[in-house]
Amino acid sequence: MNAEQLQKLVQKALDDVKGRDIVTLDVRGMSGVTDYMVVCSGTSNRHVKSLADNVWVETKKQNVVPIGMEGQDSGEWVLVDLGDVVVHVMLPEARLFYDLERLWQVPEPGTDES
């Protein structure tokens, strides 16, 4: 499965369990670690954990072996590392605070974002 197919599978797995504000960031060329980051919000610690668990289960069904998962103890921010795709499932407060979308945003040509 290529990286684009994997990120679509992840988006569907998150959507199936009612993930909120699912955003895919294409970080090819900006990161040597992964091609895509998928960021999603959950409504509670339990919802965050179930979203991450569903990503884990659905990718394994497709014979994708996840590298690891971190943060499931607290459930504020759970990271699922699938290699070409890294999934960040967060409570809205954590997502707002860390603002990954802005951090990994590509500036528009001609703008000074230094």
Side-chain angles (χ1 to χ4, degrees):
M1 177 175 295
N2 68 34
E4 187 172 308
Q5 292 168 322
L6 182 55
Q7 69 90 10
K8 287 180 181 178
L9 175 63
V10 165
Q11 283 187 320
K12 183 176 182 332
L14 293 168
D15 191 51
D16 286 349
V17 191
K18 308 291 187 229
R20 293 191 171 181
D21 303 318
I22 303 167
V23 175
T24 298
L25 306 170
D26 184 343
V27 296
R28 293 175 292 185
M30 295 190 303
S31 170
V33 177
T34 191
D35 291 338
Y36 295 98
M37 288 188 196
V38 179
V39 184
C40 174
S41 295
T43 57
S44 67
N45 296 62
R46 184 175 295 222
H47 189 215
V48 167
K49 292 176 191 180
S50 69
L51 286 160
D53 286 343
N54 199 51
V55 168
W56 187 275
V57 168
E58 292 302 318
T59 55
K60 286 191 81 167
K61 282 183 186 175
Q62 297 299 317
N63 297 315
V64 175
V65 180
I67 294 170
M69 184 171 2
E70 298 179 21
Q72 59 270 41
D73 291 339
S74 74
E76 291 180 26
W77 178 357
V78 180
L79 182 141
V80 183
D81 187 349
L82 302 167
D84 291 338
V85 178
V86 174
V87 185
H88 300 270
V89 185
M90 310 166 93
L91 288 175
E93 301 80 27
R95 186 171 178 176
L96 185 63
F97 181 79
Y98 290 102
D99 200 7
L100 296 178
E101 290 96 333
R102 187 186 57 77
L103 182 66
W104 287 97
Q105 152 185 351
V106 178
E108 292 293 322
T111 61
D112 184 21
E113 297 237 354
S114 21

